[in-house]
Amino acid sequence: MSVLVTGGAGYIGSHVVRLLHQRSEPVVVVDDLSSGLLDRIGSSQFVQLDLASPEATQVLAKTMREHKVTAVIHLAAKKQVGVSVQQPELYYEQNIGGMANLLAAMRETGVDRLVFSSSAATYGMPDVDSVTEESACSPINPYGETKLIGEWMTANATRAWGLRASNLRYFNVAGAGWPELADTAVMNLVPIVFAALRAGRTPVVFGDDYPTADGSCIRDYVHVHDLAEAHLSALDYLERDERKFATFNVGTGAGSSVFEVLNEVKRVTGIDFEIDIQPRRAGDPPSLCADVSRIEQELGWKAKQGLPEIIESAWSAIS
Ligand code: WQD
């Protein structure tokens, strides 16, 4: 009996794999290693596979049978918003095509439990600062669209053949649960600022004229270790018969502005760096925070760490 983790060699996926190992769950990781690192997955069984490839459904079904898979945690996806705007076909092929192949293999083998890595990007630019799972979903880029479509796919599989699924809408993930699992991609604020400081460059703030307290954008930063724990709670949630389908925001419920993040970086690093204020970045909502009452009530999950622990763990992982 094992758990199949797609994208398990990635930054977030490897934290999920580590926690599964800690509770002695056998794991099989499926990853194309396009951004994942094999040395992150420890003793897991491993299958290298592009989920969007023609043979994917067959290979996945064979893997599920061989490893007696009982549940899937699906994190494998392309997740760069900017790239998704320039290459939407790649994002539809990978994120939607890959998901379709995974669901086909699960249906074929009778694996009926799925935790799906969704995103706050499904909300787009909401007109409220704190969003509940019932808030309108109007994604503003192909990446966010693929995550919302992925949620529709899980809902339709639940209706069509009895899949039991939890969709997790990640807010802004950062930090490191273990130094060796730190985020090696430089695609989001925290790693971007660290990379600038280590290269002797000035960190950039995209816009200080937003309608927020200090003029910079507000986001809900959640520690990757807390996020990984939410995946195991979501998996356990599906054990009870009456629980067949649910969508959860995964954040802290508290927002931090870009300037607040930078001030935390100054405190942790001891570097009193200059800041380069640039014009706003297209597609940035002024504020996007999670209402986390549903995940707290239904899963009993609540983030344990805040911005200080996020910045401290991320910095110590690269220092
Ligand atoms: C955060 C804030 C920037 C870099 C992304 C994905 C989203 C989800 C969460 C996966 C924004 C500002 C950034 C910099 C800056 N990921 N910023 N200077 O855009 O909130 O969301 O991560 O599901 O899908 O889009 O994250 O880290 O890019 O930006 O001022 O050098 O930091 O403008 O306000 P974002 P981000």
Side-chain angles (χ1 to χ4, degrees):
M1 315 287 266
S2 55
V3 178
L4 187 151
V5 182
T6 75
Y11 162 52
I12 299 170
S14 58
H15 281 82
V16 173
V17 167
R18 183 76 58 102
L19 291 181
L20 287 167
H21 284 161
Q22 280 189 346
R23 68 178 202 185
S24 305
E25 303 240 22
V27 177
V28 51
V29 168
V30 175
D31 200 299
D32 66 3
L33 297 183
S34 59
S35 57
L37 303 172
L38 202 50
D39 62 9
R40 283 175 169 159
I41 70 171
S43 61
S44 309
Q45 299 293 308
F46 176 66
V47 175
Q48 183 164 354
L49 178 70
D50 170 0
L51 294 185
S53 59
E55 69 278 8
T57 300
Q58 180 194 351
V59 172
L60 284 164
K62 179 171 176 293
T63 302
M64 290 171 186
R65 291 190 179 99
E66 277 178 3
H67 295 277
K68 298 182 176 54
V69 170
T70 52
V72 175
I73 301 178
H74 177 40
L75 297 107
K78 300 293 181 188
K79 65 168 193 172
Q80 288 180 263
V81 167
V83 176
S84 81
V85 173
Q86 281 127 32
Q87 300 178 56
E89 62 288 342
L90 171 67
Y91 274 63
Y92 293 131
E93 175 203 73
Q94 287 291 316
N95 294 4
I96 297 171
M99 180 97 166
N101 291 337
L102 177 69
L103 288 171
M106 290 179 74
R107 183 172 191 171
E108 179 185 327
T109 56
V111 178
D112 65 352
R113 285 168 171 70
L114 173 65
V115 175
F116 172 54
S117 164
S118 186
S119 168
T122 53
Y123 295 113
M125 293 182 77
D127 53 10
V128 291
D129 290 349
S130 175
V131 287
T132 73
E133 292 84 354
E134 301 311 315
S135 298
C137 287
S138 309
I140 57 172
N141 51 66
Y143 165 73
E145 290 169 354
T146 65
K147 287 300 183 180
L148 184 58
I149 293 167
E151 292 184 15
W152 296 345
M153 294 167 80
T154 57
N156 286 320
T158 297
R159 286 186 282 267
W161 56 272
L163 175 71
R164 308 158 69 84
S166 299
N167 300 314
L168 300 184
R169 290 178 180 163
Y170 301 175
F171 280 70
N172 289 57
V173 192
W178 292 268
E180 65 275 19
L181 302 186
D183 187 1
T184 52
V186 186
M187 292 194 286
N188 293 104
L189 177 64
V190 173
I192 288 173
V193 170
F194 285 161
L197 293 177
R198 291 171 69 118
R201 287 184 276 104
T202 304
V204 169
V205 171
F206 294 124
D208 65 348
D209 57 349
Y210 283 96
T212 60
D214 65 15
S216 66
C217 288
I218 294 170
R219 294 289 182 272
D220 186 333
Y221 296 91
V222 58
H223 198 292
V224 65
H225 191 275
D226 285 333
L227 175 73
E229 288 187 331
H231 288 72
L232 274 64
S233 300
L235 204 52
D236 297 343
Y237 171 86
L238 297 173
E239 288 307 309
R240 283 174 43 186
D241 276 348
E242 71 277 15
R243 296 169 170 174
K244 291 183 171 51
F245 185 81
T247 297
F248 299 104
N249 285 336
V250 190
T252 65
S256 299
S257 74
V258 177
F259 285 132
E260 286 170 333
V261 171
L262 296 187
N263 286 336
E264 200 58 36
V265 171
K266 288 183 177 180
R267 179 189 70 80
V268 169
T269 63
I271 306 170
D272 188 16
F273 51 86
E274 297 297 315
I275 295 170
D276 176 9
I277 307 291
Q278 288 295 316
R280 295 181 177 187
R281 185 175 70 169
D284 273 338
S287 180
L288 185 57
C289 291
D291 176 313
V292 290
S293 46
R294 178 184 289 181
I295 195 169
E296 289 179 4
Q297 287 158 16
E298 296 283 331
L299 299 192
W301 177 92
K302 185 175 174 62
K304 303 187 187 85
Q305 305 179 82
L307 190 62
E309 292 81 10
I310 286 173
I311 302 300
E312 286 159 6
S313 63
W315 181 247
S316 64
I318 60 172
S319 302

